[in-house]
Amino acid sequence: MPIFHLLSCSIVVFFVLYAPQPLLAMFAEHYQVSPAKAGLLMTVAMLPLAIAPVFYGLVLTRRCKLTMLRYTMLALAICCLVISVTRQFEIFLFMRFIEGLLLPAALTSMTSYIGHTWQGQNLREKMTWYVGSTIVGGYAGRALAANFANLWGFESFYLFNAGLLVVLALMIRPSHNKRDDSKPIISPKDYLKPIKTTQLLRLYSAVFCMFFCFSALLNYLPFILSNEFDIKDPSTIAWVYSGYLVGAIISMLTPFLSKVSRNNWLILSVLFAIYSGSLLIMQWRNIDTFIVMFTLFCACMFMIHASAAPLANEISTANAGVTNGAYVSFYYCGGALGTFVPGFIYQLYGMHVFLLSLLLVCITGGYLTLLNYRSGKVTQLGS
């Protein structure tokens, strides 16, 4: 499968996941529900993403990755069509849950295909491109959904997304020629054992912390902009998400960080420090400063993700499907909790305590990478 086609599939799949986010405040008002309940539209989609990838990773050790990707995208298209015609919040919420069950199949298929097809520096390069495509998909999904909602209603975006999913899915041509020569995994114990090393679990846990903070801030960004800075227009809120796109561009430079330092754990520790610093400066109630720090925050998150994803494949001795399934599980477990739990903190105590709570989680992630740095473990691209 050409890498450009794979990246295009990634972008459109991420449309599905993130499209509701800039519209949460609008949904809360439209359906007369609280911000935390509106946030469930993201939570119910991310919660299965925290669990299902482990199962899909096991399935992908025995099944064609591209076949699973194709049928998953067609199923996601059906969900988009249902959302476009429903008028009840409960049905919308249920469809988001179904999407959450389907999305990890697509994400694990794509990351496993990359991990199985490329090695070494090529792996880091292709994984960075993939991470960049997820960022573009996340930003474009948010921006397009907000603007479609303003012009023609949010239903029009879901029809558009369904059409893209069908076209790209039908273009996939699964190949059964390249076989996975990894040792067959015959039990859950065999499946989990290779990923239970201290070094790898610390990395996964740091990724959990990273995406917990990121999901929390992006999920409640519409409410912060509306309540703290009096920005209520969905199109303007979508523009603020441009910091997300800037991060995509910066993250493409991540492979070059290995030329600055060949110690991957040091790179991750420094990135976490900057990530934490941006959250601290956001406390200053100034919209220009907030947007600049939000952009820096996004850039750091993407660079951490682009560094951690290939690093997990390099230090793991497990099958690519196993390694990436666990990575996606930890990643979206943090995302699922981040879209919901901090909402209560924001509702009860406001923006400053909300940001401080995220800062504590972020510092925890940085500490875990620092522990790996101090341990002096050897990786493929540095000590």
CSV table of all heavy atoms in Angstrom, one decimal, residues 5 34 47 76 98 108 119 130 138 183 189 212 233 268 285 299 309 330 374 383:
chain,number,residue,atom,x,y,z
A,5,HIS,N,-1.4,6.9,0.3
A,5,HIS,CA,-2.7,6.4,0.5
A,5,HIS,C,-3.0,6.1,1.9
A,5,HIS,O,-4.1,6.4,2.5
A,5,HIS,CB,-2.9,5.1,-0.4
A,5,HIS,CG,-4.3,4.6,-0.4
A,5,HIS,ND1,-4.7,3.4,-0.9
A,5,HIS,CD2,-5.5,5.1,0.1
A,5,HIS,CE1,-6.0,3.2,-0.8
A,5,HIS,NE2,-6.5,4.2,-0.2
A,34,SER,N,-25.1,19.6,30.2
A,34,SER,CA,-23.9,20.2,30.9
A,34,SER,C,-22.7,20.1,30.0
A,34,SER,O,-22.6,19.2,29.1
A,34,SER,CB,-23.7,19.6,32.2
A,34,SER,OG,-23.2,18.3,32.1
A,47,LEU,N,-13.0,5.9,25.0
A,47,LEU,CA,-12.9,4.8,26.0
A,47,LEU,C,-12.7,3.4,25.4
A,47,LEU,O,-11.8,2.7,25.8
A,47,LEU,CB,-14.2,4.8,26.8
A,47,LEU,CG,-14.2,3.9,28.1
A,47,LEU,CD1,-13.1,4.3,29.0
A,47,LEU,CD2,-15.6,4.0,28.8
A,76,LEU,N,-17.2,2.7,9.5
A,76,LEU,CA,-17.2,4.1,10.1
A,76,LEU,C,-18.1,5.0,9.2
A,76,LEU,O,-18.7,5.9,9.7
A,76,LEU,CB,-15.8,4.6,10.1
A,76,LEU,CG,-14.9,4.1,11.3
A,76,LEU,CD1,-13.5,4.5,11.1
A,76,LEU,CD2,-15.4,4.5,12.6
A,98,ILE,N,-20.0,3.3,19.1
A,98,ILE,CA,-19.7,2.3,18.0
A,98,ILE,C,-18.4,2.8,17.3
A,98,ILE,O,-17.6,1.9,16.9
A,98,ILE,CB,-20.9,2.2,17.1
A,98,ILE,CG1,-22.1,1.7,17.8
A,98,ILE,CG2,-20.5,1.3,15.9
A,98,ILE,CD1,-21.9,0.3,18.5
A,108,THR,N,-4.8,0.7,14.9
A,108,THR,CA,-3.8,-0.4,15.1
A,108,THR,C,-3.4,-1.1,13.8
A,108,THR,O,-2.2,-1.5,13.6
A,108,THR,CB,-4.4,-1.5,16.0
A,108,THR,OG1,-4.9,-0.8,17.2
A,108,THR,CG2,-3.4,-2.5,16.4
A,119,GLN,N,11.8,-0.6,8.8
A,119,GLN,CA,12.7,-0.8,10.0
A,119,GLN,C,13.6,0.4,10.1
A,119,GLN,O,13.8,1.2,9.2
A,119,GLN,CB,13.5,-2.1,9.8
A,119,GLN,CG,12.6,-3.3,9.7
A,119,GLN,CD,11.8,-3.6,10.9
A,119,GLN,OE1,12.2,-3.3,12.1
A,119,GLN,NE2,10.6,-4.2,10.7
A,130,TYR,N,3.2,9.4,9.7
A,130,TYR,CA,1.9,8.9,10.2
A,130,TYR,C,1.4,9.8,11.3
A,130,TYR,O,0.2,10.3,11.3
A,130,TYR,CB,2.0,7.5,10.7
A,130,TYR,CG,0.7,7.0,11.5
A,130,TYR,CD1,-0.4,6.7,10.8
A,130,TYR,CD2,0.8,7.0,12.9
A,130,TYR,CE1,-1.6,6.4,11.5
A,130,TYR,CE2,-0.4,6.6,13.6
A,130,TYR,CZ,-1.5,6.3,12.9
A,130,TYR,OH,-2.6,6.0,13.6
A,138,GLY,N,-6.7,15.5,12.6
A,138,GLY,CA,-7.4,16.1,13.8
A,138,GLY,C,-7.7,17.6,13.6
A,138,GLY,O,-8.8,18.0,14.0
A,183,LYS,N,6.9,-15.3,15.8
A,183,LYS,CA,6.4,-16.5,16.4
A,183,LYS,C,4.9,-16.4,16.8
A,183,LYS,O,4.5,-15.4,17.4
A,183,LYS,CB,7.2,-16.8,17.7
A,183,LYS,CG,6.8,-18.0,18.4
A,183,LYS,CD,7.7,-18.2,19.7
A,183,LYS,CE,7.2,-19.4,20.5
A,183,LYS,NZ,8.0,-19.6,21.7
A,189,LYS,N,-1.0,-14.7,27.9
A,189,LYS,CA,0.2,-14.5,28.6
A,189,LYS,C,1.4,-14.3,27.7
A,189,LYS,O,2.2,-13.4,27.9
A,189,LYS,CB,0.5,-15.7,29.5
A,189,LYS,CG,1.7,-15.6,30.3
A,189,LYS,CD,1.9,-16.9,31.2
A,189,LYS,CE,3.2,-16.8,32.0
A,189,LYS,NZ,3.4,-17.9,32.9
A,212,PHE,N,-3.4,12.5,28.1
A,212,PHE,CA,-4.4,12.9,29.1
A,212,PHE,C,-4.5,14.4,29.2
A,212,PHE,O,-5.6,15.0,29.1
A,212,PHE,CB,-4.0,12.4,30.5
A,212,PHE,CG,-5.0,12.8,31.6
A,212,PHE,CD1,-6.0,11.9,32.1
A,212,PHE,CD2,-4.8,14.0,32.3
A,212,PHE,CE1,-6.8,12.3,33.1
A,212,PHE,CE2,-5.7,14.4,33.3
A,212,PHE,CZ,-6.7,13.5,33.7
A,233,ASP,N,-18.0,32.1,18.8
A,233,ASP,CA,-18.2,31.7,17.4
A,233,ASP,C,-17.4,30.4,17.1
A,233,ASP,O,-16.2,30.4,17.3
A,233,ASP,CB,-17.8,32.8,16.5
A,233,ASP,CG,-18.1,32.4,15.0
A,233,ASP,OD1,-19.2,32.1,14.7
A,233,ASP,OD2,-17.1,32.4,14.2
A,268,LEU,N,13.0,13.1,25.0
A,268,LEU,CA,11.6,13.1,25.6
A,268,LEU,C,11.5,13.9,26.9
A,268,LEU,O,10.5,14.6,27.1
A,268,LEU,CB,11.2,11.6,25.8
A,268,LEU,CG,10.8,10.8,24.6
A,268,LEU,CD1,10.6,9.4,24.9
A,268,LEU,CD2,9.6,11.4,23.9
A,285,ARG,N,-3.9,35.3,32.3
A,285,ARG,CA,-5.1,35.5,31.6
A,285,ARG,C,-5.0,36.5,30.5
A,285,ARG,O,-5.4,37.7,30.6
A,285,ARG,CB,-6.2,35.9,32.6
A,285,ARG,CG,-7.6,35.7,32.0
A,285,ARG,CD,-8.6,36.2,33.0
A,285,ARG,NE,-8.7,35.4,34.2
A,285,ARG,CZ,-9.5,34.4,34.4
A,285,ARG,NH1,-10.4,34.1,33.5
A,285,ARG,NH2,-9.5,33.7,35.5
A,299,ALA,N,2.7,21.7,19.7
A,299,ALA,CA,3.9,21.3,19.1
A,299,ALA,C,4.7,20.2,19.9
A,299,ALA,O,5.2,19.2,19.4
A,299,ALA,CB,4.8,22.5,18.8
A,309,ALA,N,6.4,6.9,19.6
A,309,ALA,CA,5.8,5.8,18.8
A,309,ALA,C,6.9,4.9,18.2
A,309,ALA,O,6.8,3.7,18.3
A,309,ALA,CB,4.8,6.4,17.8
A,330,PHE,N,-2.7,2.6,25.8
A,330,PHE,CA,-2.3,3.6,26.8
A,330,PHE,C,-2.5,5.0,26.3
A,330,PHE,O,-3.0,5.8,27.1
A,330,PHE,CB,-0.8,3.4,27.1
A,330,PHE,CG,-0.4,2.3,28.1
A,330,PHE,CD1,-0.4,1.0,27.7
A,330,PHE,CD2,-0.2,2.7,29.4
A,330,PHE,CE1,-0.1,0.0,28.7
A,330,PHE,CE2,0.1,1.7,30.4
A,330,PHE,CZ,0.1,0.4,30.0
A,374,ARG,N,17.9,8.1,33.1
A,374,ARG,CA,18.9,7.8,34.2
A,374,ARG,C,19.3,6.3,34.2
A,374,ARG,O,20.4,6.0,34.7
A,374,ARG,CB,18.3,8.2,35.5
A,374,ARG,CG,18.2,9.7,35.7
A,374,ARG,CD,17.6,10.1,37.1
A,374,ARG,NE,17.6,11.5,37.3
A,374,ARG,CZ,17.1,12.1,38.3
A,374,ARG,NH1,16.4,11.4,39.2
A,374,ARG,NH2,17.1,13.4,38.4
A,383,SER,N,21.8,5.8,23.5
A,383,SER,CA,21.9,5.2,24.9
A,383,SER,C,21.0,5.9,25.9
A,383,SER,O,20.6,7.1,25.6
A,383,SER,CB,23.3,5.2,25.3
A,383,SER,OG,23.8,6.5,25.4
